[in-house]
Amino acid sequence: MNRYFQRKRNVDSVDEGASNNVDVDEGASNNVEFDVTKLPTDPGLRIPILDYNANIRDEVRRAYMLKGPCQPQDHDFPKRQFGVTIRRFNPSWFKEFGSWLEYSVEKDAAYCLYSYLFRTSSGKQGGGHSFRGHDESEDSSNPGNFLVQLQFLAAHNEAFNAITLGNAPHNCKLTSPDVQKDIVNACAIETINVIIKDVGESLFSILVDESCDVSMKEQMSIVLRYVDNGGHVNERFIGIEHVTSTTALSLKAAIDKVFFRYNLSMSRLRGQGYDGASNMQGKFNGLKTLILKESPCAFYIHCFAHQLQLALVAVAKKNIPITNFFRVVGNVINTVGASSKRCDLLREKQLDFIVEALEKGEILSGRGLNQETTLQRSGDTRWSSHYNSLVSLLAMFSSVLDVLAMIVEDESCSCNQRSDATNLLELIQRFDFAFNLQLMKSVLAMSNELSKALQRKDQDIVNAMQLVRLCKRRL
């Protein structure tokens, strides 16, 4: 137990300005351990990942990924003067960019979690390299990925260095924005040409889905599924097409355009896979029907994993107690995870619970067991996320009760927050909630296993039907 839970002193507390406390000795032992509870949550107080010892960087990254982005929902964000306008950080951005956006209370600044974890150069923590840099001058600390890669190649290849950047003949550096875009397009064309060459004269299927991007443009993604000469099933993404509308005729026209561009014949099409929307699988005017008129052998398959999800959603919405149950689960996760302070408190309570359970022999210890985690949020588009939410809630149930009780007693919280916490504390301790929690965990465990099996790219229709029948018998 001490191996996993006793606090180590190899890496001291990494508060602000504590970069000198981190062991970066290259000759250090490979068995370096550190205390994840002392990693600063505020992104403005973190030290760069590259300042950690190379032996523990992955552990630090894993710890921060488990914690998730720092999003202080209840913070009173200060206002600043920008010219004649007064602005401040908008907490609604946490919902729009919840997977990566962070906010530093100490610095009053926004950060990107992934840029902090995976950037490959030193410098300010405010953001990683995009393909194009905001400042592409020679002394810029963030010129963009293109110029960084160009500088790296020049530094490690004398022949390349002789004709690149400052040494380019007639100032032909090939680094202008237009040239960078041309190079990206050329790489995309070459990559797709390799895919089309691999398809050759083989029969193939298409997988199509459409959605609206952040700029409110309808985009259609196209994937080819085929068997190569080695007998391996491959799924290759070949591009995104902008469509003016989501009608079947517009989608069919976009697919024809892609087929013409890459010299693909509709006569070799043997399968088509979409979701269950009417514009896709409509019997008379759907995309499926339009393609079948040209290629009668292009059989339509509605994604089994998507059918499973639709079935779960339909059943859940028709059962009022289960609908209320998932609403309460969502409210609990939102309340307990509303701020980094509460998340840290939850982790501390869970750590104390695990240590006590280990001392009593109620749980086992070992490599990979009892890892630090947090409550996982669910999403409407993936019901597997609901299963993960229930598993995390069940594992941390006693800790969640403690955090909700502390919110109720915390006078610094608003009356509405304390009232909500009181109601949730009462609801989750009722028998019907505990029963539904165990019931839905068992049900979703079976459907989650089936969903993962159906999404395997090497899955065949015969085995898929057997898995569906097996899951129905288990349920």
Side-chain angles (χ1 to χ4, degrees), residues 73-317:
Q73 303 277 357
D74 300 330
H75 178 64
D76 184 14
F77 299 96
K79 297 180 180 180
R80 285 187 180 185
Q81 183 82 25
F82 288 88
V84 296
T85 306
I86 297 179
R87 297 181 178 179
R88 70 181 181 94
F89 183 89
N90 189 348
S92 65
W93 294 336
F94 287 143
K95 295 181 179 179
E96 187 174 358
F97 310 106
S99 63
W100 59 268
L101 181 62
E102 297 188 291
Y103 177 83
S104 170
V105 176
E106 184 71 21
K107 304 291 186 181
D108 184 26
Y111 295 84
C112 173
L113 175 62
Y114 301 142
S115 296
Y116 168 71
L117 295 179
F118 302 109
R119 65 181 300 137
T120 57
S121 61
S122 59
K124 292 185 178 180
Q125 190 180 319
H129 289 309
S130 58
F131 185 79
R132 290 280 311 284
H134 174 70
D135 179 9
E136 296 186 348
S137 61
E138 293 183 0
D139 57 348
S140 173
S141 61
N142 186 9
N145 272 331
F146 178 80
L147 292 182
V148 168
Q149 295 294 332
L150 204 62
Q151 294 167 1
F152 176 83
L153 291 174
H156 293 80
N157 189 312
E158 294 183 0
F160 191 80
N161 183 50
I163 58 172
T164 307
L165 299 176
N167 299 325
H170 306 293
N171 199 33
C172 184
K173 295 182 179 181
L174 299 178
T175 58
S176 69
D178 291 338
V179 172
Q180 292 186 34
K181 292 180 181 178
D182 290 340
I183 292 175
V184 172
N185 291 331
C187 291
I189 292 172
E190 290 299 319
T191 301
I192 295 178
N193 286 339
V194 171
I195 295 174
I196 300 302
K197 183 178 179 180
D198 192 36
V199 175
E201 298 299 323
S202 303
L203 305 176
F204 62 89
S205 301
I206 58 171
L207 306 175
V208 176
D209 196 10
E210 50 82 20
S211 63
C212 186
D213 63 13
V214 294
S215 61
M216 303 306 293
K217 293 182 179 179
E218 291 291 343
Q219 306 282 9
M220 180 179 70
S221 59
I222 303 177
V223 174
L224 295 183
R225 180 183 172 95
Y226 62 95
V227 180
D228 60 20
N229 294 331
H232 301 104
V233 178
N234 297 305
E235 291 183 355
R236 296 288 183 262
F237 171 74
I238 61 171
I240 295 178
E241 290 292 317
H242 171 59
V243 291
T244 55
S245 68
T246 58
T247 62
L249 289 175
S250 296
L251 299 180
K252 177 61 167 57
I255 292 176
D256 289 339
K257 181 180 178 182
V258 172
F259 274 43
F260 177 78
R261 183 188 308 154
Y262 300 122
N263 197 26
L264 295 171
S265 174
M266 192 70 71
S267 62
R268 292 192 283 122
L269 185 63
R270 289 297 181 269
Q272 43 181 328
Y274 322 119
D275 57 25
S278 59
N279 63 331
M280 293 293 194
Q281 67 165 355
K283 184 176 181 181
F284 298 104
N285 297 312
L287 177 61
K288 170 198 73 173
T289 304
L290 296 178
I291 291 181
L292 281 173
K293 290 179 181 179
E294 291 190 35
S295 181
C297 295
F299 296 102
Y300 167 74
I301 300 295
H302 185 183
C303 174
F304 276 25
H306 190 257
Q307 291 185 60
L308 176 63
Q309 173 186 313
L310 293 177
L312 292 172
V313 172
V315 171
K317 286 184 177 180

Side-chain angles (χ1 to χ4, degrees), residues 431-444:
F431 171 79
D432 56 347
F433 182 88
F435 177 81
N436 289 331
L437 178 59
Q438 294 290 348
L439 173 65
M440 294 310 300
K441 175 181 175 294
S442 300
V443 171
L444 292 181

